[in-house]
Amino acid sequence: MAKKTYDLLFKLLLIGDSGVGKTCILFRFSDDAFNTTFISTIGIDFKIKTIELGGKKIKLQIWDTAGQERFHTITTSYYRGAMGIMLVYDITNSKSFENISKWLRNIDEHASEDVERMLLGNKCDMEEKRLVPKEKGEQIAKEHGIRFFETSAKSNINIEEAFFTLAEDILRKTPAKEPERKDVVDTSSSGGVMGLKTKCCS
């Protein structure tokens, strides 16, 4: 059996409405790449990135979920075992922000009680098209006691900071020894998921 090349494995989840830029955030963090013509995620896809925190090698397994309602039943099962969840909305799309309360309810229903949550207002490079004031994001994050960042996958604003902060928060409450997890898929790259080409990002 191959030797483990990491000390801890954290399962993270990106959730939010379709088209808010979840896939773009993931690719910016994992591959430092940006592409305006990502295929719309069909069901679930994931990426792996290993980071160093507090002298430990931490493997982040980051799951990108489909925001469309018809994939909702597929994605709810992936809340189980998630240690950190990023809720993403698009600052140029009021509806995606209004739906954050619905996504928060989903977390309460399907995720473990101690899951770390974080709110991301994406596409903050598109200031001229902004419909959701930063204060609104800060307010909802404060109400729910979660961290908040405004991000831009396109301009690479706060992407790394958000992932590292979430990982730090999980690490802070992780016991020294991690039990072997059987429900976490350990593979080094995600399989390509085919779907309709749609522009999901700014």
Side-chain angles (χ1 to χ4, degrees), residues 5 18 32 37 45 51 54 85 89 93 129 131 146 148 152 160 163-164 171 179-180 183 186 191 201-202:
T5 54
S18 186
D32 197 20
T37 54
D45 198 5
I51 62 169
I85 297 179
Y89 68 91
N93 178 339
K129 291 184 179 172
L131 293 175
I146 57 180
F148 171 70
S152 165
E160 200 160 278
F163 278 99
F164 271 83
L171 182 62
E180 284 299 316
D183 61 332
D186 185 7
C201 306
S202 57

Side-chain angles (χ1 to χ4, degrees), residues 134-146:
K134 188 175 183 180
E135 296 72 39
K136 275 194 163 183
E138 289 169 339
Q139 185 187 341
I140 198 166
K142 195 175 175 186
E143 283 170 16
H144 292 273
I146 57 180

Side-chain angles (χ1 to χ4, degrees), residues 174-188:
T174 301
K177 186 180 182 309
E178 189 205 37
E180 284 299 316
R181 298 283 297 269
K182 290 194 169 58
D183 61 332
V184 176
V185 184
D186 185 7
T187 145
S188 301

Side-chain angles (χ1 to χ4, degrees), residues 140-179:
I140 198 166
K142 195 175 175 186
E143 283 170 16
H144 292 273
I146 57 180
R147 292 186 187 271
F148 171 70
F149 285 94
E150 282 205 334
T151 56
S152 165
K154 186 177 184 180
S155 304
N156 200 7
I157 298 167
N158 281 339
I159 300 292
E160 200 160 278
E161 290 83 348
F163 278 99
F164 271 83
T165 302
L166 188 59
E168 278 170 8
D169 289 345
I170 297 167
L171 182 62
R172 204 169 292 130
K173 61 196 222 186
T174 301
K177 186 180 182 309
E178 189 205 37

Side-chain angles (χ1 to χ4, degrees), residues 11-24:
K11 178 180 171 183
L12 309 181
L13 205 56
L14 283 159
I15 64 172
D17 283 12
S18 186
V20 296
K22 299 184 294 295
T23 304
C24 293

